[in-house]
Amino acid sequence: MDSKSSIGIFDSGIGGLAVVNTISRMLKHESIVYVADSKNFPYGTKTKNQIIQFSERITRFLLKKDVKAIIVACNTVSSIAMPLLKEISYPVPVFGMIQSGAILAVKTTKNKKVGVISTTLTAASHAYKKEIQKLDDSIEVFEIGSQRMVNLVENGNKTRERAYELVKGKLQNVISAKIDTLVLGCTHFPFLDKVVKSVVGKDIKVVDPADELVLKLEKFLKANSLINKSLSVNTRTFFTTGMTEEFLIKAKLFLDIFPKEVHKLDV
Ligand code: DGL
């Protein structure tokens, strides 16, 4: 492992591509190996054991790909399996989404009322509430889960009318609770951020945990002399456990830089 090694990233589907976009913007020269576990999408309706099993398998696969860090670009895995993944001593650090989202929420809120929109499983785990209140126990946290919003994005709808109605219905209660900060607690949701922002209005700040996470990643890479300074070697390799053609079509819709090909992965 050295500075030219890649950043390994995984999600249940295309949600983690939002994290890929953030890395490409903030750490331009880093190579990426991405795994979409599309065969097992959605994670938000799976059991804890299934999620642990999926994420362990993918983590093991990524470790064979010469990665210098792994990003669990899935809040559901981060909230359900992260404590276990942290216990296993992997040779590279494994970063989850929740702590970064919590830090960002605490930094952003002024009135100490924070909403988190996520998968139903993340909401039920109260991972965000626990993490935010660990940092500041005077913050009230309102958690809402929506698998329909996840499906909408995974099916390639970014800004449709239907999305507006759905998001509006889901966020009604937290808007009434007078939150001033909303965390996009599912990596699929930054792709709905225009819709979300138009629903909540400009008095509520919408934050994406990936922004904080990539800063944390950068700090780790710098501290360990692992920043890729070479201008020519950054590559992006995509794997899916589902249908490669389908993933390529979606990736072209959601990625800032289009992938040339997608490999099939059986894990
Ligand atoms: N994008 C994922 C997350 O952040 C998972 C969505 C799903 O598969 O249900 O939670």
Side-chain angles (χ1 to χ4, degrees):
M1 192 226 317
D2 60 26
S3 61
K4 293 194 177 67
S5 302
S6 306
I7 311 289
I9 304 181
F10 74 93
D11 179 39
S12 61
I14 58 131
L17 298 180
V19 182
V20 172
N21 285 338
T22 309
I23 293 183
S24 304
R25 214 173 46 239
M26 293 168 66
L27 297 169
K28 287 193 174 48
H29 306 304
E30 298 301 333
S31 296
I32 289 170
V33 180
Y34 185 90
V35 175
D37 193 8
S38 319
K39 185 181 74 183
N40 294 310
F41 172 87
Y43 278 5
T45 56
K46 300 294 185 298
T47 64
K48 186 176 170 172
N49 280 349
Q50 284 175 306
I51 288 175
I52 289 172
Q53 207 180 66
F54 301 152
S55 38
E56 272 189 311
R57 274 189 210 147
I58 296 171
T59 305
R60 275 204 301 274
F61 168 77
L62 284 172
L63 286 171
K64 289 190 212 135
K65 294 281 156 197
D66 185 27
V67 292
K68 54 189 176 187
I70 292 177
I71 295 187
V72 178
C74 174
N75 290 264
T76 310
V77 173
S78 306
S79 58
I80 304 294
M82 213 53 207
L84 191 110
L85 290 178
K86 286 249 179 254
E87 266 173 37
I88 304 172
S89 59
Y90 292 117
V92 302
V94 179
F95 296 96
M97 305 298 296
I98 311 294
Q99 203 190 33
S100 297
I103 292 172
L104 204 51
V106 174
K107 273 192 203 163
T108 310
T109 184
K110 298 272 181 291
N111 74 356
K112 297 189 185 269
K113 286 178 193 283
V114 171
V116 183
I117 178 90
S118 66
T119 63
T120 43
L121 207 56
T122 301
S125 76
H126 301 300
Y128 268 104
K129 190 177 189 150
K130 288 179 201 154
E131 202 62 40
I132 291 171
Q133 293 183 341
K134 219 194 273 177
L135 299 171
D136 182 343
D137 63 7
S138 66
I139 296 179
E140 263 187 280
V141 184
F142 303 87
E143 295 162 299
I144 329 128
S146 174
Q147 280 308 129
R148 283 181 65 204
M149 276 171 62
V150 178
N151 293 342
L152 200 78
V153 176
E154 188 69 24
N155 293 333
N157 299 298
K158 278 214 280 189
T159 50
R160 301 266 167 82
E161 194 107 319
R162 251 179 70 218
Y164 185 86
E165 287 311 315
L166 178 61
V167 172
K168 195 173 160 199
K170 270 288 156 191
L171 294 179
Q172 209 79 66
N173 287 349
V174 282
I175 296 172
S176 310
K178 302 257 181 287
I179 58 161
D180 71 350
T181 304
L182 178 69
V183 179
L184 299 176
C186 170
T187 51
H188 281 70
F189 298 165
F191 292 122
L192 285 173
D193 95 315
K194 282 201 183 83
V195 179
V196 172
K197 282 178 181 158
S198 69
V199 167
V200 299
K202 53 182 179 343
D203 292 339
I204 296 177
K205 297 240 163 11
V206 178
V207 297
D208 177 0
D211 292 334
E212 186 68 29
L213 178 89
V214 178
L215 288 179
K216 193 165 149 187
L217 173 68
E218 185 179 23
K219 209 165 148 191
F220 159 78
L221 295 176
K222 277 188 179 153
N224 292 281
S225 307
L226 286 171
I227 287 271
N228 191 350
K229 296 204 174 93
S230 158
L231 298 183
S232 54
V233 293
N234 63 324
T235 57
R236 295 140 143 265
T237 315
F238 294 89
F239 292 89
T240 177
T241 58
M243 311 266 279
T244 50
E245 309 76 32
E246 204 179 302
F247 184 82
L248 192 61
I249 293 168
K250 288 183 199 169
K252 284 185 175 165
L253 211 60
F254 290 105
L255 272 177
D256 295 343
I257 304 168
F258 298 163
K260 288 187 196 70
E261 57 173 340
V262 178
H263 306 276
K264 173 81 179 164
L265 174 65
D266 288 306
V267 280

